[in-house]
Amino acid sequence: MLVVKLVALGLPDVIVRWTGAFLRERRQRVKIGDALSNWLQMPAGMPQGSHFGPLTFVILIDELQPGCLTHKYVDDTTMTEFLSMSAVNSMQSLVDELVHQATDTGMIVNGQKTKEVLIGSVLKDPPPSFSLSGAPVDRVTVFKLLGVHVASDLKWSHHVDAITSKAARVHFLKQLKRSGAGRDDLLCFYGTVIRPVLEYACPVWHTSLTAAQMKVLESLQRRALCIIYEDGDYMLSLIRAGFDTLEARREQLTERFFRRSVLPEMSGLHYLLPSKRDVSVTSRLRHARTLELLKCRTVKFRHSFIPYCLDHYV
C-alpha cells in the first residue's frame, strides 16, 4: 500500500525501490532472559523508532479525505460539519466514508477514542447521534483535542481547571527547596516544568479568559515565586526572577503566533483572515487597516483568536 502511494505521488523510482527494500521481508522475535522465540515474518508495519515512520504515516493518512472540513495531526483526525437550522445532518455518511478510506489504507479507526460534540445553537434541536462501524459514538460536552479541553459552549472553565490541577506540581518546589536546591535551580524547574503547563496552546484560549480565570492562573505563579523567594511582594519577586506576569506572557505568545503563523501569506492558517482592503482606499489614509474587520455579532466571537488579533495587532 505504501509503495503504491509513493508511486502515485510521483516520487523518484530510486526512493520507491529503497523504501520497498527497507520494509520487505522484515522479521522479529522476542527475548525473555536467555530464551528466544522463533522468528516471525512481519506482513506490515514500520520498525519502531525509525525516522522514516512518521513521514510514511503522514503519507498514508493523506488518503483520509471525507467530504467535510477535516483537520489531521499525526493519528488524530477531527471532522467538522456546519449545520444551519434547516440543514440535514450527514455526519453518519461522512464517518462511514472515513472508515472505508481508513480500511482501504490498512488502518483502523478507534471507536473508543472517538467522541462527538455539538457546538452552538444546534444544541436546542440536536441531530441524531451517529455510530462507528455499528457501535454508537459517545456524545460529550467536553473533549480533549491535542491537549486542549474544548467545551460545547466554547468557554474555558474546564481547560483552566485541568491545567491548574496539572500545575499543582508547585508542591514539588517545596520538596526541592527542602532538599537543598538553589534558587536558580528552583527557577529553572518552575520555568521548564510548571509554567509551560499554564501556557500550552494559549493563543487558542487566552483571548477568551475571564478576569476570574486569569486570576486563578496568576495565583499559581505567585505561589511558586513565594516559595522560591519567601517574599509576599509578587511584583518584586517577578523583577528578581526576570519574569513577566502570566497574562503578559500569554499576550506576547499570542501576538507572536499570530504574526509568525497566521499573517504570512504562505502560512497554512492565512485562509482564516478576511480579505485585504482596497489599496486605493488605504493609500489615502494615514493609519489604515490593511485587512477588513470581521463582523462580530456576539461577545464570544469578538473575543476569539482571529477577531481579537485583528483588533489588537493589525
Side-chain angles (χ1 to χ4, degrees):
M1 177 60 70
L2 177 61
V3 172
V4 173
K5 182 63 177 176
L6 295 178
V7 172
L9 291 174
L11 293 180
D13 183 63
V14 63
I15 299 295
V16 177
R17 288 188 287 107
W18 182 89
T19 303
F22 178 69
L23 298 176
R24 190 180 300 114
E25 298 180 358
R26 298 196 72 94
R27 300 185 301 165
Q28 70 176 23
R29 62 178 177 178
V30 178
K31 180 180 180 181
I32 301 178
D34 295 330
L36 288 171
S37 68
N38 297 325
W39 285 105
L40 177 66
Q41 192 77 31
M42 299 301 297
M46 178 69 64
Q48 187 174 2
S50 168
H51 293 284
F52 197 45
L55 177 61
T56 55
F57 186 81
V58 170
I59 293 174
L60 287 176
I61 65 171
D62 184 58
E63 290 289 329
L64 305 182
Q65 298 182 5
C68 65
L69 181 63
T70 305
H71 293 91
K72 291 173 284 187
Y73 183 82
V74 192
D75 61 343
D76 283 302
T77 300
T78 304
M79 301 170 59
T80 306
E81 182 184 21
F82 296 92
L83 291 176
S84 61
M85 297 301 294
S86 59
V88 178
N89 177 26
S90 58
M91 183 54 71
Q92 182 62 65
S93 61
L94 295 171
V95 170
D96 292 340
E97 182 183 3
L98 178 72
V99 172
H100 178 71
Q101 293 173 350
T103 303
D104 290 344
T105 313
M107 295 184 291
I108 300 175
V109 180
N110 191 334
Q112 295 181 346
K113 293 185 178 180
T114 303
K115 307 297 179 184
E116 178 190 20
V117 62
L118 304 178
I119 297 175
S121 58
V122 71
L123 296 174
K124 300 177 182 178
D125 186 20
S129 58
F130 63 91
S131 60
L132 180 65
S133 300
V137 173
D138 294 335
R139 179 173 288 178
V140 298
T141 57
V142 181
F143 71 103
K144 189 176 181 180
L145 178 61
L146 300 179
V148 178
H149 295 78
V150 182
S152 59
D153 57 4
L154 296 182
K155 295 181 180 180
W156 298 105
S157 56
H158 292 280
H159 183 69
V160 171
D161 291 343
I163 62 177
T164 52
S165 175
K166 190 175 181 180
R169 61 190 72 177
V170 168
H171 173 69
F172 291 128
L173 284 173
K174 291 184 178 180
Q175 296 180 326
L176 289 172
K177 191 171 184 178
R178 291 169 185 167
S179 301
R183 184 169 293 169
D184 290 341
D185 294 330
L186 295 177
L187 288 172
C188 180
F189 178 83
Y190 170 75
T192 57
V193 177
I194 300 175
R195 188 171 62 182
V197 174
L198 302 174
E199 297 176 339
Y200 173 73
C202 65
V204 177
W205 45 268
H206 162 65
T207 59
S208 299
L209 290 180
T210 64
Q213 291 167 346
M214 291 184 182
K215 186 176 180 180
V216 169
L217 294 175
E218 203 69 44
S219 67
L220 287 170
Q221 179 165 272
R222 183 190 301 271
R223 178 182 165 193
L225 293 183
C226 183
I227 293 173
I228 296 173
Y229 288 100
E230 299 181 353
D231 192 341
D233 191 330
Y234 179 48
M235 299 309 297
L236 180 59
S237 298
L238 286 175
I239 295 174
R240 290 175 177 174
F243 287 173
D244 290 323
T245 63
L246 289 181
E247 180 180 1
R249 283 183 55 85
R250 291 194 304 269
E251 189 72 23
Q252 295 167 7
L253 292 170
T254 301
E255 181 178 2
R256 185 172 65 180
F257 178 79
F258 177 73
R259 295 191 181 281
R260 291 183 178 182
S261 303
V262 181
L263 269 184
E265 294 186 1
M266 297 300 294
S267 168
L269 299 177
H270 186 75
Y271 74 96
L272 296 173
L273 298 178
S275 58
K276 291 186 177 182
R277 299 178 65 186
D278 191 345
V279 179
S280 62
V281 175
T282 58
S283 61
R284 292 179 291 176
L285 301 176
R286 181 175 298 178
H287 302 291
R289 293 180 178 272
T290 58
L291 297 172
E292 297 282 354
L293 286 178
L294 296 173
K295 295 181 180 180
C296 302
R297 293 183 294 178
T298 63
V299 176
K300 185 180 298 183
F301 182 50
R302 187 182 304 117
H303 289 169
S304 61
F305 174 67
I306 293 297
Y308 180 92
C309 292
L310 289 174
D311 187 42
H312 288 76
Y313 309 140
V314 178

